[in-house]
């Protein structure tokens, strides 16, 4: 071995202004009261590429002074169940981003700093159904949904010194944090480390004080206590908690009067949300049912508290807004009105337009592709298997019926004048009107199965209408009576099973379960199907046919006073399919902001309702129709 001295050192090529990091932007789970499913996050990957990263969220738009980086290369991380991105530090906030990253990834100093996504999404209840747009992914304190630094991505070069002559090896990837060239002496290295840590502590101090929302005198006292020195995050957290406790003791007497016990803490945003739900008559969300709040006088007060627009000029005036909250008027209205849609749908259960529910099968679909093969053929009988012989494959055949989707909807304008006139009663009624309109739409679609094409129903894949006497054996013309009902039930009973190949098919062996009639035939149908004693010519005799099977359903879509239909139990033989994409109930969207959309151009907040539906016949055999002549 040579006697020459060999020394090695690593030179990191990136500067504090040019760091690259691998981060977790968001992960599946609950955050800020919303549930983010993994599949929804995975479908949104393309929306995250090229988004900006700023220092902290902003309610009034970001400034270029806050720009800290740009995100790219989004991938799905199965282990963390979240979206992983590469973050390049750029802009005026880049150096602060690098300092925060070093603090977050350093084993000694770990402030609770991470990432929070500013996104637009649609939801069903509290469950997010689709991410519509990613506005930014910002560096914040106490991130809500898993955002975090994972590692730094920087280039390093190994410098080997042999005999006093340096040589450079090839650059390799490392997880080291950005740093300057190696110091020339241990003293210089120690001094630079102390300076960097002091910078981190100063940044952590300001970020923590901003997030703490302490009264100004207390914040200044803590700033003076920690400024200009190196400290541990735990020490700062303890001081902030002491400040919060002191503020609570000083202001608690002015808030709580009389004896009592505090069992929980709520924010002004929680109180406002609860008050908005109470104002519109909607049931509060689960976490807000015990929140005590003052009652709003009407939507005029709600509008002015959130926008500060006391003169109803149109716009957002934060300096005059009564509440400093992240809640917005469109967001509050959307959540409360969707809750009213659910309540209205349930209350309309007594409505005649929900007649279709017992005779249909409701199916949920996860895409808007053409629906096909919903009905699967039967296995008639199990074949025998000889000893030692192989099993044979059972033949199954999908239905040939297909169906497309239709989008229904519209919007209602909530004008500036409506807020100024305080027309709260109108706003309360809108969700019920929308729920009722959605019910009538489904009623009309299901009713058309029995009324389309002069009562023969829609055309099916075999080129015949649903009700066809010659080819489907399910169309008659007799008036409703005990005899004609028995004939209809027998016709359904004797329908053949759906076979995958030729041969003699066994009977369906199902009787009619529901008698669908117009309003004029309801009493006649009830006398046939409901159990009682019949009185004729002073002779009492029990009608044994009554009560054996069946129920009466009145269809408001039947325009002919004499026509009627019979339907088997859809749990045993599905015939009419009601397909939904985002739920059977319609959704409400309110997306106008104070500086764009209809609020800017029309002085109105638009309440849009959307409904994706497909109603079709998958199988004619469980259905029978009588077009009485």
């Amino acid at each position: 071995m040579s006697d020459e001295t060999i020394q090695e050192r690593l030179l990191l090529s990136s500067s504090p202004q040019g760091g690259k990091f691998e981060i977790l932007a968001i992960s599946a789970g609950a955050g800020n009261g919303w549930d983010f499913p993994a599949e929804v996050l995975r479908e949104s990957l393309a929306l995250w590429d090229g988004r900006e990263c700023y220092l902290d969220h902003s309610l009034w738009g970001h400034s270029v002074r806050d720009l800290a980086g740009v995100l790219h290369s989004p991938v799905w991380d199965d282990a963390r169940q979240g979206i992983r991105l590469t973050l390049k530090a750029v802009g005026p906030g880049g150096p602060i981003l690098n300092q925060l990253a070093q603090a977050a990834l350093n084993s000694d100093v770990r402030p609770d700093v991470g990432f929070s996504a500013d996104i637009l999404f649609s939801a069903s209840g509290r469950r997010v159904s689709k991410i519509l747009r990613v506005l930014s992914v910002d560096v914040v304190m106490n991130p809500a949904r898993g955002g975090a630094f994972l590692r730094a991505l920087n280039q390093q070069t190994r410098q080997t010194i042999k005999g006093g002559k340096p040589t450079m090896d090839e650059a390799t990837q490392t997880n080291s944090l950005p740093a300057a060239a190696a110091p020339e002496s241990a003293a210089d290295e120690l001094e630079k480390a102390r300076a960097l840590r002091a910078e981190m502590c100063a940044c952590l101090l300001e970020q923590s004080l901003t997030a703490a929302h302490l009264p100004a005198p207390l914040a200044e006292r803590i700033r003076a206590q920690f400024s200009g020195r190196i400290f541990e995050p735990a020490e700062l957290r303890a001081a902030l908690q002491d400040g919060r406790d002191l503020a609570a003791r000083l202001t608690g007497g002015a808030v709580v009067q009389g004896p009592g016990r505090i069992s929980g803490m709520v924010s002004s945003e929680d109180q406002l949300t609860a008050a908005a739900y109470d104002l519109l008559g909607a049931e509060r969300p689960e976490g807000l049912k015990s929140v005590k709040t003052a009652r709003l006088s009407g939507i005029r007060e709600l509008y002015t508290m959130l926008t500060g627009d006391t003169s109803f000029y149109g716009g957002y005036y934060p300096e005059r807004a009564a509440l400093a909250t992240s809640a917005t008027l469109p967001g509050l209205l959307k959540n409360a009105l969707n809750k009213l849609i659910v309540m209205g749908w349930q209350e309309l259960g007594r409505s005649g337009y929900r007649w279709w529910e017992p005779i249909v099968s409701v199916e949920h679909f996860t895409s808007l592709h053409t629906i096909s093969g919903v009905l699967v053929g039967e296995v008639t009988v199990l074949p025998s298997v000889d000893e030692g012989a192989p099993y044979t494959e059972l033949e199954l055949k999908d239905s040939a019926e297909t169906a497309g989707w239709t989008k229904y909807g519209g919007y209602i304008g909530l004008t500036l004048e409506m807020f100024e006139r305080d027309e709260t009663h109108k706003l309360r009624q809108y969700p019920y009107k929308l729920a009722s309109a959605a019910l009538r739409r489904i009623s009309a679609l299901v009713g058309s199965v029995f009324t389309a094409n002069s009562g023969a129903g829609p055309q099916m894949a075999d080129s015949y209408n649903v009700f066809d006497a010659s080819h489907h054996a399910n169309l008659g013309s007799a008036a409703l009576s005990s005899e004609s009902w028995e004939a209809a039930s027998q016709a359904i009973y004797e329908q053949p099973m759906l076979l995958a190949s030729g041969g003699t098919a066994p009977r369906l062996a199902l009787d009619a379960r529901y008698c669908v009639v117009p309003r004029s035939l309801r009493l006649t149908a009830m006398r046939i199907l409901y159990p009682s004693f019949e009185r004729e010519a002073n002779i009492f005799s029990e009608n044994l046919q009554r009560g054996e099977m069946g129920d009466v359903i009145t269809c408001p879509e039947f325009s002919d006073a004499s026509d009627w239909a019979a339907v088997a139990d859809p749990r045993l033989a599905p015939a009419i399919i009601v397909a939904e994409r985002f739920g059977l109930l319609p959704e409400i969207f309110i997306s106008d902001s104070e500086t764009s959309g209809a609020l800017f151009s029309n002085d109105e907040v638009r309440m849009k309702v959307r409904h994706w539906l497909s109603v079709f016949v998958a199988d004619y055999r469980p259905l029978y129709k009588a077009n009485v002549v």
Side-chain angles (χ1 to χ4, degrees), residues 19-316:
K20 290 180 70 175
F21 309 99
E22 191 173 66
I23 71 164
L24 187 68
I26 189 172
S27 60
N32 285 335
W34 300 95
D35 181 29
F36 291 85
E39 62 271 15
V40 172
L41 297 181
R42 193 182 297 113
E43 291 171 1
S44 71
L45 275 180
L47 302 177
W48 301 80
D49 195 22
R51 297 299 92 199
E52 292 80 13
C53 174
Y54 296 94
L55 300 177
D56 270 331
H57 287 319
S58 174
L59 297 178
W60 305 286
H62 286 289
S63 168
V64 70
R65 294 189 299 271
D66 301 326
L67 181 63
V70 177
L71 299 145
H72 62 87
S73 307
V75 295
W76 177 253
D77 191 323
D78 271 325
R80 297 180 175 89
Q81 286 292 286
I83 295 174
R84 196 170 72 243
L85 289 152
T86 299
L87 171 60
K88 169 70 174 177
V90 297
I96 297 178
L97 178 67
N98 282 315
Q99 293 168 11
L100 293 175
Q102 184 161 348
L105 296 172
N106 189 287
S107 59
D108 296 327
V109 180
R110 290 182 180 271
D112 191 7
V113 63
F115 296 90
S116 177
D118 190 0
I119 58 179
L120 300 177
F121 57 84
S122 58
S124 178
R126 306 303 295 179
R127 182 180 176 84
V128 175
S129 57
K130 184 177 182 180
I131 294 178
L132 305 174
R133 184 180 175 189
V134 178
L135 302 176
S136 62
V137 179
D138 303 327
V139 184
V140 299
M141 295 296 296
N142 305 310
R145 189 49 267 150
F149 285 100
L150 298 180
R151 63 189 179 117
L153 303 173
N154 296 287
Q155 296 297 321
Q156 71 179 21
T157 303
R158 182 178 301 277
Q159 185 183 73
T160 305
I161 301 176
K162 297 182 178 181
K165 296 182 179 180
T167 61
M168 293 291 183
D169 297 336
E170 293 183 357
T172 57
Q173 193 70 19
T174 181
N175 290 342
S176 299
L177 289 166
E184 296 181 358
S185 68
D188 290 340
E189 184 177 359
L190 180 60
E191 183 60 31
K192 288 188 177 182
R194 288 179 59 83
L196 179 60
R197 189 167 181 184
E199 250 184 275
M200 288 191 309
C201 287
C203 181
L204 176 61
L205 174 62
E206 293 305 319
Q207 293 279 348
S208 300
L209 286 174
T210 301
H213 300 293
L214 290 172
L218 280 175
E220 287 302 322
R221 180 179 176 181
I222 294 176
R223 183 178 286 107
Q225 180 183 352
F226 287 89
S227 291
R229 70 181 184 88
I230 297 175
F231 55 84
E232 293 297 325
E235 183 184 357
L236 176 60
R237 284 197 297 269
L240 290 173
Q241 186 59 50
D242 288 342
R244 294 190 190 96
D245 294 341
L246 178 59
R249 288 194 296 270
L250 291 174
T251 60
V255 177
V256 181
Q257 301 294 333
R261 181 174 58 186
I262 297 176
S263 58
M265 298 293 289
V266 295
S267 65
S268 59
E269 186 171 330
D270 292 334
Q271 292 177 319
L272 179 61
T273 302
Y277 274 66
D278 293 346
L279 173 66
L280 297 176
E283 183 182 351
R284 292 186 187 182
E286 192 62 36
L288 300 180
K289 289 188 175 179
S290 59
V291 173
K292 293 183 179 180
T293 182
R295 191 169 186 85
L296 294 171
S297 61
I299 59 172
R300 178 189 175 102
E301 184 181 6
L302 178 64
Y303 176 84
T304 56
M305 288 177 68
L306 286 173
T307 65
D309 183 20
T310 55
S311 60
F312 293 89
Y313 182 77
Y316 177 62

Side-chain angles (χ1 to χ4, degrees), residues 345-365:
W345 188 276
Q346 294 169 346
E347 291 181 13
L348 288 168
R350 298 182 292 274
S351 167
Y353 284 100
R354 288 183 71 168
W355 64 274
W356 45 270
E357 290 183 328
I359 66 170
V360 305
S361 294
V362 178
E363 298 288 345
H364 172 71
F365 291 85

Side-chain angles (χ1 to χ4, degrees), residues 485-556:
W485 169 256
E486 172 61 22
S489 187
Q490 183 177 350
I492 294 175
Y493 188 93
E494 294 181 351
Q495 288 281 3
M497 285 188 171
L498 182 64
L499 297 182
S501 57
T504 302
R507 294 174 177 176
L508 191 60
L510 287 176
D511 284 300
R513 175 70 177 84
Y514 299 100
C515 182
V516 184
V517 296
R519 179 63 180 83
S520 57
L521 288 180
R522 183 165 67 182
L523 183 58
T524 301
M526 292 172 70
R527 285 174 173 167
I528 295 171
L529 294 179
Y530 292 164
S532 65
F533 285 94
E534 190 71 27
R535 181 181 183 276
E536 293 183 6
N538 297 322
I539 298 176
F540 292 87
S541 62
E542 186 175 3
N543 184 345
L544 298 180
Q545 186 184 40
R546 294 180 177 179
E548 181 180 303
M549 70 189 89
D551 203 352
V552 177
I553 295 177
T554 306
C555 174

Side-chain angles (χ1 to χ4, degrees), residues 342-418:
V342 176
M343 294 171 60
W345 188 276
Q346 294 169 346
E347 291 181 13
L348 288 168
R350 298 182 292 274
S351 167
Y353 284 100
R354 288 183 71 168
W355 64 274
W356 45 270
E357 290 183 328
I359 66 170
V360 305
S361 294
V362 178
E363 298 288 345
H364 172 71
F365 291 85
T366 57
S367 75
L368 296 176
H369 294 301
T370 300
I371 302 170
S372 61
V374 173
L375 187 67
V376 179
E378 291 93 354
V379 177
T380 55
V381 292
L382 291 175
S384 61
V385 180
D386 294 334
E387 182 178 352
Y391 287 83
T392 57
E393 183 180 359
L394 300 174
E395 294 187 15
L396 294 174
K397 177 183 178 183
D398 291 344
S399 167
E401 303 303 322
T402 61
W405 292 91
T406 303
K407 179 169 62 175
Y408 303 94
Y411 76 86
I412 296 174
L414 311 179
T415 64
L416 202 61
E417 293 84 354
M418 179 180 173

